[in-house]
């Protein structure tokens, strides 16, 4: 499943500005990198939904990104990967937050169901006791 495509050109993901010493300083464009990470997350979810292995798909995407930026200056790649890592971490944290919220809702429903079951059992015991007492 190597159908992950990176939109645009490598230079769309960073800028290089020449400082007063004549040295080019590179900065990644966070908005573009964030869009790429969003595409990555959707792609991995799609692989998982289709029964594929999201872990190997993630490695494949890493290879595609590495190849995409292979001919860019090393400093530009470093700037890109620094922001890319931050954005992947943020996306992972958001996913974990969502998962934790869902787990908390499930736990609350399970607790409510457990309480209802305890009341039903208590009612049954009470009714059985009443039957024996009034027999």
């Amino acid at each position: 499943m190597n159908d992950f495509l990176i939109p645009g050109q490598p230079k769309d993901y960073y800028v290089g500005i020449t400082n007063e010493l004549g040295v080019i300083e590179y900065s990644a464009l966070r908005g573009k990198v964030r869009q790429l990470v969003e595409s990555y997350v959707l792609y991995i979810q799609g692989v998982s939904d289709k029964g594929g292995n999201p872990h190997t798909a993630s490695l494949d995407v890493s290879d595609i990104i590495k190849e995409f930026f292979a001919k860019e200056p090393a400093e530009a790649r470093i700037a890109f990967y620094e922001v890319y890592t931050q954005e992947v971490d943020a996306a992972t944290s958001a996913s974990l937050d969502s998962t934790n919220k869902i787990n908390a809702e499930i736990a609350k429903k399970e607790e409510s169901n457990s309480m209802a079951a305890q009341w039903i059992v208590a009612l049954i015991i009470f009714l059985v006791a009443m039957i024996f007492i009034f027999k």
Side-chain angles (χ1 to χ4, degrees):
M1 296 186 117
N2 287 341
D3 52 347
F4 182 79
L5 299 174
I6 302 173
Q9 301 300 315
K11 288 179 176 39
D12 295 339
Y13 293 87
Y14 68 89
V15 293
I17 300 172
T18 304
N19 67 17
E20 62 277 352
L21 299 174
V23 176
I24 301 175
E25 295 178 352
Y26 294 94
S27 295
L29 300 173
R30 187 171 296 279
K32 290 292 288 183
V33 175
R34 184 171 293 152
Q35 289 174 350
L36 178 61
V37 170
E38 289 168 357
S39 296
Y40 161 76
V41 168
L42 291 174
Y43 174 76
I44 297 301
Q45 287 173 346
V47 167
S48 182
D49 291 346
K50 293 176 185 174
N53 185 332
H55 305 289
T56 57
S58 179
L59 295 174
D60 292 343
V61 170
S62 293
D63 291 342
I64 291 168
I65 291 172
K66 182 178 178 182
E67 184 178 322
F68 185 76
F69 286 99
K71 295 180 181 172
E72 301 307 304
E75 295 85 1
R77 291 192 310 254
I78 290 169
F80 167 79
Y81 278 115
E82 181 178 308
V83 172
Y84 178 77
T85 300
Q86 293 168 358
E87 290 297 326
V88 169
D89 286 346
T92 301
S93 293
S95 178
L96 288 174
D97 290 346
S98 176
T99 301
N100 289 336
K101 183 178 178 183
I102 291 168
N103 287 340
E105 290 172 4
I106 290 170
K108 187 175 180 180
K109 287 179 183 177
E110 286 178 351
E111 181 180 342
S112 176
N113 291 342
S114 176
M115 291 294 291
Q118 289 175 0
W119 277 105
I120 291 170
V121 168
L123 181 60
I124 291 171
I125 291 172
F126 175 75
L127 291 174
V128 168
M130 296 304 284
I131 291 171
F132 282 116
I133 291 174
F134 291 112
K135 243 185 170 185

